[in-house]
């Protein structure tokens, strides 16, 4: 998936970027789910190495996750490659524009989303969606039989402190 066209986009955004996470989302009608409003705050690391500013450690499905300082999150960007047309009827991502500038508590997220007009990110098949991890986003249940498959790639150019390492780091 990291072909020359995608690498050109990545280099334009941050010439020092490397891949830190890859997720494949498949939202068929038979496994239809909604995702509530949230920010993508945890990062995946190889091992739990306590470091200043890193908190809320979890270990899920064999993966160490941690909430890094906000400066790390500001350095990350996400490219979502859409394998199918994605629209409101098949659970397209909804975002709160301008919410990517800081982290919010659950209470703040509830207040912001209750008082905002979200934007639906309708993306055609083969389209690429750029987003920051702190943007408030959600995904409703699909109301159609059409698939919604997305390759979600996160990139950063920031090294982690001490001996802490990104779990899925791939240099470009």
């Amino acid at each position: 998936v990291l072909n020359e066209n995608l690498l050109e986009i990545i280099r334009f955004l941050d010439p020092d970027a490397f891949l830190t996470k890859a997720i494949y989302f498949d939202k068929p009608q038979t496994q239809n789910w909604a995702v509530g409003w949230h920010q993508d705050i945890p990062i995946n690391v190889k091992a739990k190495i306590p470091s200043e500013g890193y908190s809320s450690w979890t270990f899920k499905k064999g993966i160490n996750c941690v909430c890094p300082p906000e400066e790390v999150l500001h350095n990350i960007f996400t490219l979502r490659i859409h394998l199918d047309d994605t629209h409101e009827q098949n659970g397209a991502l909804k975002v709160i524009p301008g919410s990517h500038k800081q982290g919010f508590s659950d209470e703040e997220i509830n207040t912001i989303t209750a008082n905002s007009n979200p934007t639906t990110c309708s993306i055609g098949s083969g389209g690429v969606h750029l987003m920051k991890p702190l943007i408030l986003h959600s995904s409703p249940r699909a109301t159609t039989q059409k698939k919604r498959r997305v390759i979600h790639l996160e990139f950063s150019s920031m090294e982690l402190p001490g001996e802490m390492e990104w779990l899925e780091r791939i240099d470009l």
Side-chain angles (χ1 to χ4, degrees):
V1 73
L2 294 172
N3 64 32
E4 194 54 43
N5 292 332
L6 193 63
L7 289 171
E8 189 173 330
I9 294 169
I10 295 163
R11 286 186 207 112
F12 174 79
L13 295 167
D14 184 344
D16 299 320
F18 46 85
L19 182 70
T20 62
K21 187 186 292 185
I23 304 169
Y24 171 68
F25 291 111
D26 186 358
K27 197 172 196 177
Q29 187 64 30
T30 56
Q31 297 175 340
N32 195 4
W33 69 91
V35 178
W37 289 103
H38 68 285
Q39 296 174 298
D40 291 339
I41 292 180
I43 61 171
N44 299 341
V45 295
K46 287 188 178 180
K48 182 178 180 178
I49 300 173
S51 298
E52 186 176 337
Y54 289 75
S55 63
S56 303
W57 286 90
T58 59
F59 188 73
K60 297 178 188 174
K61 297 182 181 179
I63 296 174
N64 288 292
C65 301
V66 63
C67 295
E70 240 177 69
E71 69 179 313
V72 174
L73 296 171
H74 287 299
N75 181 261
I76 295 171
F77 64 91
T78 301
L79 294 177
R80 293 170 56 94
I81 303 165
H82 291 258
L83 304 179
D84 304 295
D85 290 339
T86 304
H87 45 75
E88 194 161 358
Q89 292 76 27
N90 68 345
L93 209 63
K94 292 186 178 203
V95 300
I96 304 294
S99 63
H100 65 284
K101 297 175 184 171
Q102 70 182 65
F104 297 108
S105 69
D106 289 343
E107 184 177 313
E108 290 170 322
I109 290 173
N110 291 336
T111 300
I112 292 167
T113 57
N115 295 291
S116 299
N117 292 319
T119 298
T120 299
C121 300
S122 296
I123 311 286
S125 176
V128 177
H129 176 198
L130 170 65
M131 64 183 263
K132 296 294 280 180
L134 288 177
I135 195 157
L136 286 171
H137 60 285
S138 71
S139 177
R141 292 175 63 88
T143 59
T144 180
Q145 295 292 326
K146 295 189 179 203
K147 294 185 90 167
R148 189 202 67 156
R149 296 171 299 158
V150 175
I151 299 172
H152 174 108
L153 304 171
E154 295 181 12
F155 299 89
S156 179
S157 59
M158 186 172 277
E159 300 296 340
L160 299 175
E163 295 181 20
M164 190 183 301
E165 297 178 68
W166 296 95
L167 177 64
E168 301 177 57
R169 180 183 176 139
I170 296 177
D171 290 319
L172 308 175

